[in-house]
Amino acid sequence: MGQTLTGLLTSVRALAGRPGTPAPGRPGGGPDPELRAALRLCGDHLSALAAEGPLTDARRTRLIASIGALTTACSTPGADVFGALLRTGQRALDGGGDAEARLALALADEATGLRARSKGAWRLRGNALDALGRGEEAVTAYERHLALQRNTAASRDVERRIATLRAAGDRIDEALALSWGTPGDRAEQPGAAARAPGGAEGARLARGAEGSGAAARLSRHLPAAEARAAFTDLVRLRTAAHGAGDPSVRRLAALYAEHRRLSDRDPMADPLLGGAEPIGVPGLRRLVAGRTVCLVADTPRTAEQERRPGSSLAALIEGYDLVVRCDETRHTAPTARTDLHACTLRGDTPWKGPRWDRRAGVRLVFGDPLPHWRLALRGRLVPGAQDRVGDATLRRPLHDPALLGEEPGGAGPASTAYTVLRLLDFLGTPARVDLLGFEGPAALAPREREWIGSRTGTTDDTAVRITLG
């Protein structure tokens, strides 16, 4: 990988050149200035990755491959360079780190410079700004995307995300109005700390003045992490100044809780999740947006074909953006690619089951009641075996009123694969979903097959293709 990375870095820099320098071997002077700028950005990112040492993260490996594809497209007449640029930006965003999100934003800026009316470029820019916590700027980019998007169904998740970001900002605005809207309260006026008398009353007013400073720092235009910190300080100081029983403090605390609920990411590590980051419904929706997804059954026949070198099934699986596997895999090789692992808790003591040590990018655990779900995560998650874990909002998608909201029926518990399919259908953002190997022993229950049959687009010897919508 080191030589490959070094060679790719050399190729990227050679093709990018210096501003105003024609690229060698290309008619018309080489790539557009925006593409050269994009290649220089990719080169800088590759250089930083090379300095970090050996690569072990599959997401970064895919980003490097995407940069390679962009480099090839830039040096190939007639290639879809713009599409390769957007795919590289998406791969950077999938990396999950701040550096990758900044690269995605920079590539999105170059893409909008190339095509100002590209809905894909504006959506990429919105997603990158969103990942960086710059919600108000993300809303502007999302709105540009919606203005260009004519497919109403495809824009629903963007509309929902805009609504969420605006709702979070509205909570901040109401908190500010609440904090500054107490007439005659000297603690809310600038300079109150300097004018405060001594004794307990003076201490209270001084704390109120500190609260006004926290309110002055708070704004819906702040990056998400800074806004959360300022909001936290405001609640703490207002509570100290007025007491937890004060009506305005109770309302402020409720606004703070709603703001945190509307936020995708929690800056505090959750010891319950084995060192992984939580992912909720909005984050999962963005993860699968525009991606091709396959659910692979764990059967001896499928596992044997997948392990066979050069097999058509292995090549087919590798071509998907997201590979999903369910429950405990008895036949699939431990090293088989798993981007998303989903499992359902069953039995009276589900926290006593085998630990989830198979490597996965995202792990979704479906289960009820909540205490059992928490115990299972605490007892069965293996630190380092996953990057993200579905939070409590994703633990019961079929019956959660905020998601599918179905009443539990008498037809028995749903299979994990069916739950994943229904969740993907609810999210409505994947480009394609295929089922691989769900026949014979892996066949789903009749009612589940009936639901799938109503959405099946194509069926062949290898895959059942599901049309979501």
Side-chain angles (χ1 to χ4, degrees):
M1 176 58 72
Q3 292 181 346
T4 302
L5 180 57
T6 302
L8 176 58
L9 179 57
T10 301
S11 300
V12 168
R13 286 176 169 169
L15 186 58
R18 297 179 180 273
T21 303
R26 287 292 309 276
D32 292 328
E34 292 85 357
L35 289 173
R36 291 189 191 177
L39 288 170
R40 284 193 291 272
L41 291 165
C42 291
D44 292 342
H45 192 76
L46 290 174
S47 180
L49 291 180
E52 293 180 8
L55 292 174
T56 58
D57 191 326
R59 293 175 296 178
R60 287 185 170 182
T61 303
R62 294 189 196 111
L63 171 57
I64 292 171
S66 187
I67 292 174
L70 173 61
T71 306
T72 301
C74 286
S75 58
T76 304
D80 181 13
V81 181
F82 189 77
L85 176 61
L86 293 185
R87 285 190 292 273
T88 302
Q90 184 60 50
R91 285 298 190 193
L93 198 57
D94 293 343
D98 285 346
E100 286 76 15
R102 288 193 293 269
L103 174 62
L105 176 59
L107 296 180
D109 288 341
E110 301 303 333
T112 56
L114 278 171
R115 297 185 188 177
R117 294 187 57 79
S118 167
K119 59 181 182 289
W122 283 107
R123 179 162 184 172
L124 176 63
R125 190 172 197 277
N127 287 342
L129 287 165
D130 202 352
L132 290 168
R134 294 159 61 177
E136 293 298 306
E137 295 174 83
V139 167
T140 301
Y142 284 146
E143 287 175 336
R144 290 290 299 270
H145 165 80
L146 290 180
L148 298 165
Q149 175 64 269
R150 297 181 179 180
N151 186 342
T152 304
S155 64
R156 288 173 187 160
D157 64 312
V158 176
E159 292 171 348
R160 286 191 290 263
R161 185 59 187 155
I162 289 175
T164 299
L165 291 171
R166 282 179 172 162
D170 291 345
R171 302 308 187 272
I172 290 177
D173 288 346
E174 186 178 345
L176 290 173
L178 190 66
S179 299
W180 292 108
T182 307
D185 187 345
R186 287 180 296 164
E188 303 303 320
Q189 307 302 321
R195 301 191 305 270
E201 178 64 12
R204 186 190 70 81
L205 292 177
R207 288 193 298 267
E210 292 175 358
S212 69
R217 292 194 304 273
L218 182 60
S219 168
R220 68 186 299 157
H221 298 284
L222 284 176
E226 296 178 29
R228 280 194 293 268
F231 210 154
T232 301
D233 288 343
L234 177 60
V235 174
R236 177 176 56 82
L237 293 169
R238 290 278 298 184
T239 302
H242 300 279
D246 184 85
S248 65
V249 172
R250 289 202 302 269
R251 178 56 185 160
L252 184 64
L255 291 170
Y256 174 77
E258 291 175 17
H259 181 265
R260 291 299 297 265
R261 179 181 58 81
L262 291 165
S263 177
D264 284 347
R265 294 169 298 278
D266 193 316
M268 300 296 293
D270 188 346
L272 182 68
L273 302 183
E277 296 179 357
I279 184 171
V281 174
L284 184 62
R285 179 178 286 116
R286 289 198 299 276
L287 176 69
V288 302
R291 317 291 291 280
T292 56
V293 182
C294 71
L295 276 71
V296 183
D298 181 46
T299 65
R301 179 172 178 268
T302 301
E304 190 276 332
Q305 291 182 356
E306 190 177 357
R307 283 194 296 265
R308 188 187 308 157
S311 75
S312 58
L313 181 62
L316 177 66
I317 292 174
E318 190 56 32
Y320 288 92
D321 294 319
L322 288 173
V323 177
V324 181
R325 302 182 194 273
C326 299
D327 296 317
E328 182 182 0
T329 51
R330 295 179 174 84
H331 307 289
T332 306
T335 57
R337 175 184 163 195
T338 305
D339 299 309
L340 190 153
H341 174 242
C343 55
T344 301
L345 302 178
R346 306 192 191 279
D348 296 331
T349 56
W351 54 89
K352 294 183 178 179
R355 304 193 76 190
W356 298 307
D357 55 2
R358 172 182 288 275
R359 187 71 179 87
V362 176
R363 201 176 308 280
L364 300 182
V365 180
F366 305 132
D368 211 19
L370 180 59
H372 288 190
W373 179 82
R374 286 175 172 162
L375 283 171
L377 261 60
R378 185 177 291 113
R380 299 177 65 179
L381 284 177
V382 176
Q386 57 279 313
D387 300 315
R388 285 175 280 186
V389 177
D391 65 15
T393 65
L394 289 168
R395 69 182 178 86
R396 50 193 296 267
L398 292 181
H399 308 307
D400 191 332
L403 299 178
L404 294 169
E406 296 180 352
E407 291 293 331
S415 69
T416 303
Y418 179 71
T419 302
V420 171
L421 287 173
R422 294 296 307 275
L423 179 58
L424 293 174
D425 184 51
F426 171 81
L427 297 175
T429 56
R432 192 175 80 233
V433 178
D434 290 353
L435 293 174
L436 304 182
F438 284 85
E439 71 275 333
L444 301 177
R447 67 183 180 93
E448 297 177 353
R449 291 201 303 269
E450 180 179 355
W451 183 89
I452 292 171
S454 66
R455 287 162 173 78
T456 299
T458 59
T459 302
D460 57 33
D461 293 337
T462 304
V464 176
R465 184 158 299 166
I466 309 299
T467 301
L468 299 177

